[in-house]
Amino acid sequence: MPNPARDALIARLPKAELHLHIEGSLEPEMLFALAERNGVAIPFASAQEVRAAYAFSNLQDFLDIYYQGMGVLQTEQDFYDLTWAYLERAAADNVRHVEIFFDPQGHTERGVAFETVLDGIERALKDGEAQLGISYRLIMCFLRHLSEDEALSTLSEAAPHVGRIHGVGLDSSEVGHPPRKFERVFAKARELGLHVTAHAGEEGPPAYVHEALDLLKVERIDHGNRALEDPALIARLADEGMTLTVCPLSNLRLCVIDAIGASPVKRMLDLGLKVTVNADDPAYFGGYVNDNFRAVADALDLTHAEIVTLAENSFAGSFLAPADKARHIAALREVAE
Ligand code: ADE
Ligand code: ZN
């Protein structure tokens, strides 16, 4: 049930966003503007037509449109504008720290240079830190439908930029592309000092979550919904204090759940799991982080304390230094009173 006091709490709580694909924040209006700026043909006549096409039956349906949409991103300024628009939106939701994913292989395979992508995203993140007070980490994802060799060569391109890139992730079509395919890639990434996370258990089975933990040695699980099918895995995730970056509106729009009331957020909280709430690809799934918080809070009737825990988990599960986590969590508790 809607609850204005709860909405006000969600709005004023400082939070971190840990699961956000920057290319998934490309709103239809910007898609049109960039298509025109770059002379790229798109098969839609209006932003409304684009939104109407965003009806997905599963992850792959979405990915096909998502990769097509990326085609309008060509120059450093395009990546800057995309990232800046997201940061302004995040600031409006009281997001104080972001750990955003980018998909370089979706751009380099179209002939856009790795540095063009990185420079534009990073310039906006730096401006966001200076002008909006939002700190950041940048996470490079490997597209799991591509080969191990392609991931290794992308990691080589990234290696000179360690320090500007803080971690690696694994995304795209999950089923049929298990984490074990990238065991050696992740070992190299860890040797470079990069943080590691992976999408697992969105559509894929609990075994993929086990593999992400055992073989990739991830520090977070992105999504992790299907971990709830495996009691031993639940116990392990709870014991290890593993953060799960759940994306409720994404789960609904990709038919991972059949109603927002089936979101695992409350069950995960009840099981003592470190769940967080995130937007994933907000331009495609109908909402930014506070929309996701409100959707689950209403559908699952979350308490004040549960909402505060979700926001705390977002800082605790981030790649920030311990002192920065503690500072954010102290500020959050003041606001929560
Ligand atoms: N790439 C962008 N969003 C994704 C998602 N939800 N799952 C897998 N890959 C993605
Ligand atoms: Zn994702």
Side-chain angles (χ1 to χ4, degrees):
M1 268 207 308
N3 176 332
R6 194 165 53 194
D7 290 354
L9 173 69
I10 291 168
R12 74 174 183 272
L13 275 181
K15 51 193 80 73
E17 183 151 44
L18 305 182
H19 187 154
L20 184 289
H21 302 262
I22 198 61
E23 296 90 345
S25 71
L26 178 60
E27 292 286 348
E29 290 72 18
M30 187 177 286
L31 180 92
F32 266 87
L34 295 183
E36 191 166 320
R37 185 153 100 186
N38 294 324
V40 177
I42 49 170
F44 301 106
S46 67
Q48 288 102 298
E49 234 184 68
V50 176
R51 285 203 169 84
Y54 291 174
F56 314 113
S57 305
N58 53 41
L59 175 58
Q60 193 60 50
D61 269 6
F62 154 70
L63 290 169
D64 293 343
I65 292 216
Y66 168 79
Y67 295 124
Q68 191 184 22
M70 275 184 207
V72 302
L73 295 163
Q74 302 204 339
T75 67
E76 192 263 3
Q77 188 65 43
D78 297 341
F79 288 94
Y80 178 92
D81 291 346
L82 173 72
T83 308
W84 181 253
Y86 163 65
L87 289 168
E88 285 196 307
R89 193 61 194 65
D93 279 358
N94 242 318
V95 173
R96 312 310 306 148
H97 176 71
V98 296
E99 302 199 347
I100 64 170
F101 297 129
F102 74 118
D103 282 331
Q105 292 167 303
H107 311 300
T108 53
E109 70 182 0
R110 304 183 282 111
V112 177
F114 187 94
E115 283 73 18
T116 300
V117 180
L118 176 59
D119 289 352
I121 294 173
E122 186 194 47
R123 184 160 64 86
L125 288 169
K126 286 190 162 163
D127 282 355
E129 188 152 46
Q131 295 171 39
L132 305 171
I134 300 178
S135 56
Y136 69 90
R137 297 288 185 273
L138 183 56
I139 303 174
M140 176 179 88
C141 282
F142 302 108
L143 300 182
R144 67 201 306 157
H145 67 274
L146 300 180
S147 69
E148 179 193 33
D149 278 352
E150 286 164 298
L152 285 169
S153 78
T154 298
L155 184 60
S156 300
E157 281 197 87
H161 305 294
V162 170
R164 302 174 68 196
I165 296 170
H166 307 95
V168 297
L170 186 63
D171 66 0
S172 192
S173 321
E174 186 180 9
V175 174
H177 302 285
R180 64 178 172 275
K181 179 173 162 187
F182 298 95
E183 185 175 358
R184 284 178 291 231
V185 180
F186 272 61
K188 281 197 183 215
R190 292 197 314 275
E191 275 167 29
L192 288 169
L194 292 163
H195 287 287
V196 289
T197 183
H199 285 53
E202 181 184 19
E203 287 188 344
Y208 284 21
V209 179
H210 280 289
E211 282 187 20
L213 297 168
D214 292 333
L215 305 180
L216 306 187
K217 304 194 191 310
V218 293
E219 297 161 77
R220 291 201 291 255
I221 294 286
D222 297 313
H223 296 293
N225 299 53
R226 293 196 57 194
L228 295 188
E229 296 169 23
D230 179 340
L233 181 55
I234 293 169
R236 177 178 183 187
L237 292 167
D239 274 1
E240 294 180 5
M242 183 62 54
T243 296
L244 304 170
T245 64
V246 171
C247 306
L249 291 173
S250 164
N251 287 168
L252 181 66
R253 297 290 283 267
L254 299 185
C255 305
V256 167
I257 53 177
D258 56 13
I260 201 73
S263 169
V265 165
K266 167 101 171 120
R267 270 174 295 148
M268 288 175 171
L269 284 168
D270 291 345
L271 289 162
L273 298 173
K274 300 273 185 229
V275 53
T276 64
V277 168
N278 308 270
D280 205 7
D281 302 283
Y284 291 89
F285 302 146
Y288 285 78
V289 68
N290 284 3
D291 299 310
N292 277 272
F293 265 87
R294 280 192 298 270
V296 281
D298 289 351
L300 306 174
D301 204 20
L302 297 183
T303 64
H304 181 106
E306 286 169 333
I307 291 164
V308 173
T309 298
L310 291 169
E312 278 197 25
N313 289 349
S314 72
F315 290 112
S318 75
F319 297 145
L320 283 167
D324 292 322
K325 291 184 187 185
R327 178 173 49 79
H328 280 294
I329 290 172
L332 181 159
R333 286 188 183 153
E334 290 233 330
V335 169
E337 306 235 314

